Amino acid sequence: MSRICYISNPHFINNRSAGGMGTKTSAVTKAWEDSGIHTIEIATQDTFRNAEVDVIICELLAINDFERIEQLSKDLKAHDAFVFVYGSDSELLRWPGFAIEELKKCVDGWIANCKWQLNYMQDFQLPVLGIVREPIDCDLFRPSRTRGDTVLSGGNISTAKNSEFFIELFNNLKTVETGYIGSASGWGNPDYKSLMLERSLKASVDVFHGQQPANKVATIMGEARFFVVNSHYETCNRMGMEAHAAGLEIVAGPHLCFDEWPNAHRFTTLQECLAILNNFDDADATSADNVEFAKENWSYDASLGQLNDIIRRVL
């Protein structure tokens, strides 16, 4: 058994408006600790120093206060634990060079969330030890016995998440019912532009579900047919992963991280996406493959196994 300290952001810990990062913080605890193989202590960069643990895993989005990065580097280097960085989103691409150099002084190994992220981490000449997929609850997200032809999408509403695309998509897609799960408040304190995007999205979609708890999201997904993903910034897209587990057919945009998925269709333009959804064929269904892929790659057991493979290499 290993004692693990997972450094998250105070906003991500037990906060209903923490978006996908709050869900991730909760999910890694359940996936990695409930097995009984590890103990997980959730901490912040201000509270980890006295943690009696074997491994420290730093979430990049929890340590991106660059004015404090030098002190954090010293504190991590002084700790006896083996230090990992577990990246999320495209955060590293936004870091200034001096901050990355500070992390290099104290971090023993890096963990990627997908192949695309692993490749760009290596471009920074970082010692990447492997991939640990962000865990999702495949017991909660699963196909319903009955489903319609609804086209779903979801996530935080903002320009960064390419919400303008979904407004256009739903305004032009009238042959099937459309639905959206999420809001501009997913991370708390939404800005004016995101709230205006939410208003436009509500007007363009048939059913605007808004922000929902996980069990409600699972029910909505289980009864739909398609899930469209087309974010600008991704290294996993939790909701798209959950849609796989729920057995939806995935229609994915051009982002490289979606290359690893068993997608029903890919597109690069709005018109291509509309053509796919207006002319779907039952023979294109990939729901069974998606469910199996989710279990093998993103389930709690799968993520735990991936983490164990890396820990065995260093302890």
Side-chain angles (χ1 to χ4, degrees):
M1 175 182 289
S2 298
R3 299 167 299 168
I4 299 173
C5 177
Y6 181 78
I7 297 181
S8 188
N9 186 296
H11 181 66
F12 303 154
I13 303 170
N14 300 321
N15 192 314
R16 295 181 62 185
S17 297
M21 288 306 304
T23 305
K24 177 181 179 180
T25 300
S26 174
V28 298
T29 304
K30 293 178 181 178
W32 301 346
E33 183 174 53
D34 286 0
S35 66
I37 298 176
H38 308 293
T39 60
I40 307 292
E41 178 178 339
I42 304 296
T44 70
Q45 70 177 80
D46 293 318
T47 63
F48 79 89
R49 297 177 186 84
N50 296 323
E52 296 182 359
V53 293
D54 308 301
V55 174
I56 294 174
I57 299 178
C58 302
E59 173 58 54
L60 268 178
L61 274 169
I63 57 173
N64 60 356
D65 184 346
F66 304 130
E67 293 182 359
R68 302 174 61 193
I69 194 69
E70 185 175 352
Q71 184 60 50
L72 174 65
S73 175
K74 291 178 180 177
D75 291 340
L76 287 170
K77 197 170 183 63
H79 206 288
D80 292 335
F82 196 95
V83 178
F84 290 117
V85 165
Y86 185 26
S88 64
D89 199 72
S90 304
E91 181 65 11
L92 189 63
L93 301 179
R94 294 190 284 267
W95 277 49
F98 79 89
I100 296 174
E101 291 304 314
E102 281 296 333
L103 278 190
K104 287 181 178 180
K105 297 176 183 177
C106 62
V107 174
D108 299 298
W110 293 67
I111 302 173
N113 193 73
C114 70
K115 292 179 182 177
W116 174 71
Q117 189 185 47
L118 181 148
N119 289 336
Y120 83 64
M121 282 181 170
Q122 290 180 333
D123 288 341
F124 284 95
Q125 299 182 337
L126 302 173
V128 187
L129 296 178
I131 295 172
V132 177
R133 307 288 182 174
E134 192 169 315
I136 62 170
D137 188 349
C138 289
D139 292 327
L140 178 63
F141 291 90
R142 53 188 178 184
S144 172
R145 292 183 179 180
T146 59
R147 63 171 73 240
D149 287 326
T150 302
V151 175
L152 281 179
S153 190
N156 191 40
I157 298 173
S158 67
T159 294
K161 292 298 183 180
N162 201 12
S163 297
E164 292 91 341
F165 168 84
F166 293 101
I167 293 168
E168 285 195 70
L169 176 68
F170 296 142
N171 273 328
N172 288 279
L173 185 61
K174 300 302 180 184
T175 58
V176 291
E177 183 179 78
T178 57
Y180 195 90
I181 308 167
S183 73
S185 309
W187 288 79
N189 301 320
D191 57 33
Y192 170 79
K193 184 174 182 180
S194 295
L195 288 171
M196 294 306 294
L197 285 172
E198 180 179 289
R199 181 177 178 180
S200 297
L201 191 53
K202 282 182 179 179
S204 67
V205 72
D206 293 322
V207 182
F208 183 80
H209 297 282
Q211 205 76 15
Q212 297 290 340
N215 61 332
K216 180 64 174 177
V217 175
T219 299
I220 296 168
M221 283 187 173
E223 297 172 351
R225 171 74 183 275
F226 295 100
F227 194 85
V228 182
V229 289
N230 193 26
S231 302
H232 290 314
Y233 305 109
E234 291 294 352
T235 53
C236 71
N237 191 301
R238 280 197 68 90
M239 196 167 282
M241 293 157 62
E242 291 164 353
H244 276 81
L248 278 77
E249 297 171 50
I250 309 301
V251 181
H255 196 295
L256 289 173
C257 76
F258 302 141
D259 290 355
E260 300 176 46
W261 293 6
N263 304 291
H265 297 281
R266 299 295 297 273
F267 65 89
T268 56
T269 67
L270 173 67
Q271 293 306 316
E272 288 175 356
C273 187
L274 286 168
I276 290 166
L277 295 171
N278 281 322
N279 299 282
F280 64 83
D281 187 332
D282 286 341
D284 292 335
T286 58
S287 59
D289 292 341
N290 289 351
V291 173
E292 191 60 29
F293 185 86
K295 289 179 180 178
E296 291 180 356
N297 290 274
W298 301 323
S299 67
Y300 286 179
D301 285 345
S303 180
L304 175 63
Q306 295 153 13
L307 177 70
N308 288 343
D309 287 343
I310 289 178
I311 289 179
R312 289 190 195 102
R313 295 175 60 183
V314 299
L315 292 182

